[in-house]
Amino acid sequence: MEKTKIINDDSVNILITIDENYIKPLRVLLYSLRQTNPRENMTIWLAHDHIEVAQLEKLHQFVAQLGFVLHTIKVDTSLWASAPTFKQYPPEMYFRLLCGQYLPKTLHRVIYLDPDILVINPIRPLANMPLKGQMLAASSHMGLTGISQTINHLRLGTRQVYFNSGVMLMDLDMMRQRVDMKAILSVIQQYGKELILPDQDILNYLYGDEILSLPEEIWNYDTRDNIMHYAKSFGSVDMRWVMENTVILHYCGRPKPWEKSNSINPFIMLYQHYEQLLAISGL
């Protein structure tokens, strides 16, 4: 594990957990973060298991050019040997559940972001948001993809809102006290074959009552649900509203915006615009 450097108390701390397959979209995410937060101090915490040293060195150089600080932390995946994983859900997805154990004790809160994200407005308000005594803050996708909430209630016997784990504000001090590896492994053993979105299901099952609900159209906008947001708001949440108010666009599901596809998702063009800006930036 990398030695911890002095943490800038004024910095926005971002946690990413990926394998080498997601380095390219991570670069786009970080580039969007810099473009829309030009004067912010940012510290990026990257948890991984086996990204090659050469890849990490290139990533360190890229992040330094953006003006951010990068800490890489190698996490052993052997703890998750019994946990269900899939091609699109590698073992690294579980790292966020126990991030309080491997992030430095001097770090008290962090924003977790999935790599399939664009940040299109300032993120500081999320970093400073009061958690009102809750351990986490997250959004629930209640549109066309909200069916997972009903499925989760049936599968796991839960009753609270089903939260998406792709964007979370985390109180690390509370997580160090409350999140228990034995409890997580127990859920995996009991429900392993029924877990559809494994780490997200576990998060909701064990800690759903300790999550502050955030408005999804601002903090975790599922780009598949743009028609639903437009209809539910009687036309007020249109593209202009999103560009002015939404902070985080989340490209959930398939196809991903960096993949060749015939998707009609209007937000894919915006993602490809950031890809092109990064390509011509020379970074």
Side-chain angles (χ1 to χ4, degrees):
M1 182 181 296
E2 179 184 278
K3 290 185 178 179
T4 303
K5 298 178 182 179
I6 297 174
I7 296 172
N8 184 342
D9 290 337
D10 186 47
S11 199
V12 175
N13 288 276
I14 305 292
L15 172 65
I16 310 288
T17 64
I18 63 167
D19 61 19
E20 66 276 3
N21 295 314
Y22 279 90
I23 289 179
K24 183 177 179 180
L26 172 60
R27 285 169 53 88
V28 178
L29 162 59
L30 295 178
Y31 184 77
S32 74
L33 192 61
R34 172 45 82 206
Q35 293 302 303
T36 52
N37 294 263
R39 290 173 293 277
E40 286 287 1
N41 294 318
M42 297 274 178
T43 301
I44 312 300
W45 302 87
L46 172 60
H48 70 100
D49 174 48
H50 56 272
I51 299 178
E52 294 182 357
V53 172
Q55 292 269 36
L56 291 176
E57 289 177 351
K58 289 180 182 178
L59 195 57
H60 271 282
Q61 182 179 4
F62 171 71
V63 172
Q65 289 176 311
L66 292 177
F68 298 159
V69 175
L70 174 65
H71 298 290
T72 58
I73 302 174
K74 184 172 172 56
V75 182
D76 185 4
T77 58
S78 64
L79 288 174
W80 307 103
S82 64
T85 60
F86 311 97
K87 182 179 180 181
Q88 66 270 40
Y89 301 116
E92 284 79 1
M93 67 183 169
Y94 291 103
F95 292 175
R96 55 190 143 177
L97 295 176
L98 287 172
C99 64
Q101 304 304 315
Y102 58 77
L103 290 172
K105 299 299 186 288
T106 51
L107 186 60
H108 305 293
R109 62 165 48 194
V110 71
I111 297 171
Y112 169 81
L113 296 177
D114 273 352
D116 55 346
I117 274 173
L118 285 181
V119 178
I120 62 171
N121 274 301
I123 202 170
R124 170 68 69 174
L126 178 59
N128 293 346
M129 184 177 294
L131 279 167
K132 301 179 181 179
Q134 297 290 67
M135 184 172 69
L136 304 166
S139 299
S140 176
H141 289 160
M142 296 299 291
L144 300 175
T145 59
I147 190 173
S148 57
Q149 177 166 295
T150 301
I151 294 172
N152 195 48
H153 289 170
L154 293 172
R155 289 183 297 121
L156 305 177
T158 55
R159 290 294 175 265
Q160 75 275 357
V161 170
Y162 184 81
F163 292 98
N164 180 273
S165 61
V167 178
M168 294 183 288
L169 174 63
M170 299 174 157
D171 183 319
L172 295 174
D173 295 324
M174 290 187 68
M175 291 186 72
R176 291 176 185 115
Q177 296 175 3
R178 294 282 298 116
V179 179
D180 180 55
M181 183 66 181
K182 291 182 180 179
I184 292 171
L185 292 177
S186 177
V187 174
I188 292 172
Q189 184 177 13
Q190 184 175 359
Y191 294 105
K193 293 182 180 180
E194 300 173 44
L195 300 178
I196 297 175
L197 302 171
D199 71 308
Q200 187 168 282
D201 286 344
I202 293 168
L203 175 77
N204 280 274
Y205 181 80
L206 289 175
Y207 309 110
D209 291 333
E210 301 179 59
I211 301 177
L212 176 70
S213 182
L214 299 176
E216 60 175 316
E217 64 272 16
I218 296 175
W219 296 114
N220 191 344
Y221 188 109
D222 186 338
T223 61
R224 298 172 297 181
D225 282 349
N226 63 297
I227 295 175
M228 180 279 300
H229 285 298
Y230 182 83
K232 189 172 69 172
S233 66
F234 299 100
S236 63
V237 179
D238 56 12
M239 289 295 289
R240 179 176 292 277
W241 188 97
V242 170
M243 295 306 297
E244 293 176 352
N245 297 278
T246 297
V247 176
I248 295 171
L249 290 176
H250 193 176
Y251 293 83
C252 303
R254 285 287 193 272
K256 293 301 184 188
W258 57 86
E259 298 171 339
K260 291 183 178 180
S261 74
N262 295 318
S263 173
I264 59 173
N265 183 340
F267 291 102
I268 285 184
M269 182 176 291
L270 179 61
Y271 189 94
Q272 292 170 343
H273 176 63
Y274 273 95
E275 280 188 309
Q276 180 63 13
L277 287 176
L278 174 56
I280 65 178
S281 71
L283 295 177

